[in-house]
């Protein structure tokens, strides 16, 4: 869950669940609240160490006991307003482990246990929500959304497949709807079936299409994104190419994660780089987390487009690579986030050379922010990209600047843009007048 670490709202809280006296000394539970882009994820992770002779039926009964206990706990300890109830999802992850070494200290941290030589065996199990709710003592028709339960293996398989906070959120909403429908129809789908269904829904690309239409409306695109059209059409028609597109998006998402971590690590080593106005004495943890979120808040398709833009560079004309160039790209997850990809020229001293551009990333970001006619704009992300070729290997060195943008109405942005155009026109006219005066003075001197 590395990508979700920057969304953690507060410190992880160790909790004691009510009505569990029999196994109280053999379990650990902790609560984490993640403020994801689309809402709050309230996560309870529950680990229990069972004797080797416990029967499967007893384990299932234990799962229901834990489900009841967490349901009771969350209603009294998770505070939420009426407005935030629809933007909040509660998840229980059950991690059931058999004790192998009876001398193992159950109070030791779970991470330390995993470092020992097979002290416990983690059981692969699935608790379906319908089975848990069936024996639940809690009123599931309450105003808050039902608690969703996962076995440890299922939860981490989902995290590995989705990787992305916004996609995880949408999956949990989809799963909740499927679970409620299955309960009505008395159907029990496996976790694998549910996540496969989520990735294959016909409107999977609907958020990206909405943003694509908005970009056309603002005049930032002349026509719909061709890749988005192809992928969404394959999704709706269940074309054989759909699986290929899903594989491409998964690969791009993993690569974007890797590149993001590299960029952020470089920034983290230089806290002054992401300090906007605060003094260096202030804590930079919140600032850095905010930076992280801006480049990790991207969907599968949005990451696909960003990585595709990066990997078009080697196919560009040699002259263009030599000179350097700029590509404007937009987030397909959030209309308020815009990207400027500056591919450094190979001539280090040229106009688009690394030495000329790198010190001015912040100025470039502010200039772009002023020129964009979008009221929704809130961040401009500038990437300075240096393609380095050594022997037969090629890799990227990327400079990062993320510029927050003050809220402006569309009218204010348009007026600001017009003022800039007038200033540039005046400067151009002044230059022409100066040049004419020089020519006249030179002519008079000759005569």
């Amino acid at each position: 869950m590395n990508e979700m670490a920057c969304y953690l709202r507060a410190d992880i809280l160790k909790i004691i669940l009510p009505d569990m006296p029999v196994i109280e000394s053999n379990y650990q539970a902790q609560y984490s609240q993640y403020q994801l882009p689309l809402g709050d994820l309230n996560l309870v992770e529950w680990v229990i160490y069972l004797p080797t002779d416990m029967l499967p039926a007893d384990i299932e009964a234990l799962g229901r006991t834990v489900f009841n206990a967490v349901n009771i706990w969350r209603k009294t300890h998770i505070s939420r307003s009426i407005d935030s109830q629809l933007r909040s999802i509660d998840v229980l992850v059950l991690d059931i482990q058999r004790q192998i070494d009876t001398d193992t200290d159950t109070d030791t941290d779970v991470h330390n246990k995993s470092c020992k030589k097979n002290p416990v065996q983690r059981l692969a199990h699935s608790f379906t929500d319908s089975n848990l709710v069936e024996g639940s003592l809690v009123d599931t028709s309450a105003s808050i959304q039902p608690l969703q339960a996962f076995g440890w293996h299922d939860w981490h398989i989902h995290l590995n497949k989705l990787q992305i906070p916004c996609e995880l959120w949408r999956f949990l909403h989809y799963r909740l709807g499927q679970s409620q429908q299955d309960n009505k129809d008395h159907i029990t789908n496996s976790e694998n079936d549910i996540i496969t269904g989520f990735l294959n829904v016909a409107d999977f690309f609907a958020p990206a299409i909405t943003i694509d239409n908005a970009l056309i409306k603002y005049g930032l695109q002349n026509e719909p994104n061709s890749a988005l059209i192809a992928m969404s059409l394959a999704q709706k028609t269940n074309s054989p190419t759909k699986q290929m597109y899903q594989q491409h998006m998964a690969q791009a998402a993993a690569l974007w994660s890797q590149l993001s971590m590299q960029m952020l690590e470089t920034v983290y080593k230089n806290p002054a780089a992401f300090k906007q106005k605060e003094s260096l004495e202030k804590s930079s943890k919140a600032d850095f987390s905010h930076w992280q979120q801006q480049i990790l808040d991207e969907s599968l398709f949005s990451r696909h487009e960003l990585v595709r833009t990066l990997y078009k560079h080697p196919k560009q004309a040699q002259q263009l690579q030599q000179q350097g160039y700029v590509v404007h790209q937009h987030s397909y997850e959030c209309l308020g986030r815009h990207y400027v990809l500056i591919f450094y020229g190979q001539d280090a001293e040229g106009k688009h050379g690394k030495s000329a551009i790198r010190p001015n990333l912040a100025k470039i970001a502010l200039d772009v922010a002023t020129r964009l006619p979008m009221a929704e704009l809130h961040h401009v992300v500038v990437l300075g990209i240096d393609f380095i070729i050594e022997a037969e290997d090629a890799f990227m060195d990327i400079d990062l600047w993320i510029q927050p943008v003050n809220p402006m109405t569309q009218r204010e942005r348009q007026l600001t843009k017009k003022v800039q155009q007038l200033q540039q026109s005046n400067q151009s006219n002044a230059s022409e007048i100066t040049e004419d005066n020089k020519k006249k003075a030179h002519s008079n001197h000759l005569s």
Side-chain angles (χ1 to χ4, degrees):
M1 294 178 65
N2 289 340
E3 286 203 21
M4 291 181 61
C6 62
Y7 301 95
L8 193 64
R9 175 176 284 184
D11 291 336
I12 295 174
L13 174 67
K14 290 188 177 181
I15 62 177
I16 302 296
L17 300 178
D19 304 322
M20 297 182 65
V22 177
I23 58 170
E24 184 174 343
S25 62
N26 291 325
Y27 83 89
Q28 296 179 22
Q30 64 182 30
Y31 165 66
S32 312
Q33 187 180 43
Y34 295 90
Q35 192 171 16
L36 302 183
L38 301 176
D40 293 336
L41 171 62
N42 300 305
L43 179 65
V44 175
E45 297 171 279
W46 186 86
V47 185
I48 187 170
Y49 314 102
L50 301 179
T52 55
D53 57 352
M54 194 165 188
L55 299 175
D58 295 331
I59 295 176
E60 190 169 337
L62 180 61
R64 285 195 290 269
T65 302
V66 175
F67 186 80
N68 281 325
V70 173
N71 248 327
I72 294 170
W73 180 88
R74 72 177 180 135
K75 289 197 171 187
T76 56
H77 290 82
I78 299 179
S79 61
R80 61 190 114 207
S81 64
I82 296 176
D83 294 336
S84 70
Q85 287 178 7
L86 294 176
R87 298 187 67 256
S88 179
I89 292 179
D90 298 349
V91 168
L92 166 65
V93 177
L94 301 104
D95 184 2
I96 299 180
Q97 304 180 6
R98 289 192 185 277
Q99 294 178 345
I100 303 300
D101 181 3
T102 56
D103 295 328
T104 300
D105 179 8
T106 57
D107 292 330
T108 306
D109 183 77
V110 179
H111 175 71
N112 292 335
K113 283 178 175 293
S114 64
C115 295
K116 297 180 181 179
K117 186 177 181 180
N118 300 323
V120 293
Q121 176 190 11
R122 178 174 281 124
L123 299 184
H125 62 90
S126 295
F127 290 104
T128 61
D129 288 346
S130 57
N131 289 341
L132 291 172
V133 172
E134 185 180 350
S136 175
L137 303 174
V138 179
D139 179 15
T140 55
S141 64
S143 57
I144 61 173
Q145 292 188 10
L147 175 67
Q148 298 191 52
F150 295 85
W152 186 93
H153 289 84
D154 287 336
W155 176 247
H156 284 271
I157 286 172
H158 294 333
L159 287 181
N160 290 334
K161 277 191 176 182
L162 297 172
Q163 302 181 55
I164 302 167
C166 60
E167 300 291 14
L168 176 64
W169 177 268
R170 283 192 274 262
F171 164 71
L172 290 172
H173 261 290
Y174 171 85
R175 183 181 183 271
L176 182 61
Q178 290 297 112
S179 176
Q180 291 170 341
Q181 184 62 43
D182 291 349
N183 288 338
K184 291 179 183 178
D185 299 337
H186 305 287
I187 299 173
T188 302
N189 285 325
S190 69
E191 289 292 341
N192 186 60
D193 289 339
I194 295 173
I195 195 167
T196 300
F198 167 71
L199 293 171
N200 287 282
V201 292
D203 61 348
F204 184 85
F205 294 98
I209 291 172
T210 299
I211 289 180
D212 200 47
N213 290 334
L215 295 176
I216 295 172
K217 181 180 177 181
Y218 274 120
L220 299 177
Q221 285 183 192
N222 296 324
E223 57 187 17
N225 184 311
S226 58
L228 182 56
I229 293 175
M231 289 185 178
S232 59
L233 185 62
Q235 193 88 350
K236 290 178 180 178
T237 60
N238 201 23
S239 166
T241 58
K242 177 178 65 176
Q243 300 301 322
M244 178 190 71
Y245 288 140
Q246 289 182 358
Q247 184 179 10
H248 288 174
M249 285 191 295
Q251 292 170 345
L255 183 56
W256 182 254
S257 295
Q258 181 183 346
L259 292 172
S260 298
M261 294 305 174
Q262 292 173 357
M263 289 186 281
L264 290 164
E265 183 180 2
T266 302
V267 172
Y268 189 72
K269 291 177 180 177
N270 180 20
F274 58 91
K275 282 290 179 185
Q276 299 295 327
K277 296 179 181 178
E278 295 84 1
S279 63
L280 292 176
E281 288 77 14
K282 290 186 178 180
S283 171
S284 61
K285 184 178 180 181
D287 301 296
F288 186 65
S289 292
H290 196 55
W291 269 59
Q292 284 182 290
Q293 291 171 17
Q294 294 311 311
I295 61 172
L296 295 177
D297 287 355
E298 298 297 354
S299 63
L300 282 167
F301 179 74
S302 195
R303 293 181 180 211
H304 176 271
E305 290 303 278
L306 288 164
V307 169
R308 190 163 73 110
T309 303
L310 290 172
Y311 276 84
K312 281 182 179 178
H313 176 74
K315 300 177 183 178
Q316 299 287 5
Q318 186 60 39
Q319 183 180 2
L320 199 61
Q321 293 185 43
Q322 180 71 27
Q323 294 175 346
Y325 57 97
V326 178
V327 176
H328 288 263
Q329 184 59 274
H330 209 92
S331 166
Y332 281 88
E333 175 61 24
C334 179
L335 184 59
R337 187 163 48 247
H338 186 84
Y339 286 85
V340 181
L341 289 81
I342 304 174
F343 293 87
Y344 294 137
Q346 295 174 6
D347 180 3
E349 303 303 323
K351 182 180 178 182
H352 287 134
K354 188 172 184 177
S355 59
I357 297 293
R358 194 176 191 181
N360 296 306
L361 296 181
K363 183 177 180 297
I364 292 169
L366 285 169
D367 183 59
V368 170
T370 306
R371 292 170 184 273
L372 284 174
M374 297 174 57
E376 296 87 348
L377 187 70
H378 57 72
H379 279 87
V380 173
V381 182
V382 182
L383 305 180
I385 303 145
D386 189 13
F387 263 78
I388 302 172
I389 300 176
E390 293 183 354
E392 296 181 355
D393 294 328
F395 57 93
M396 286 175 282
D397 183 17
I398 303 180
D399 297 316
L400 170 68
W401 183 266
I402 301 177
Q403 180 65 50
V405 179
N406 292 328
M408 291 177 69
T409 65
Q410 183 176 347
R411 180 64 177 163
E412 287 173 334
R413 290 195 189 285
Q414 289 173 340
L415 288 173
T416 304
K417 189 174 181 179
K418 286 182 179 179
V419 169
Q420 284 184 329
Q421 290 173 343
L422 287 172
Q423 289 175 340
Q424 290 175 350
S425 177
N426 289 337
Q427 289 175 355
S428 177
N429 291 336
S431 298
E432 290 177 2
I433 291 171
T434 302
E435 190 64 30
D436 287 343
N437 289 337
K438 285 182 179 179
K439 288 179 180 178
K440 288 179 181 178
H442 183 65
S443 177
N444 291 336
H445 177 71
L446 290 175
S447 41

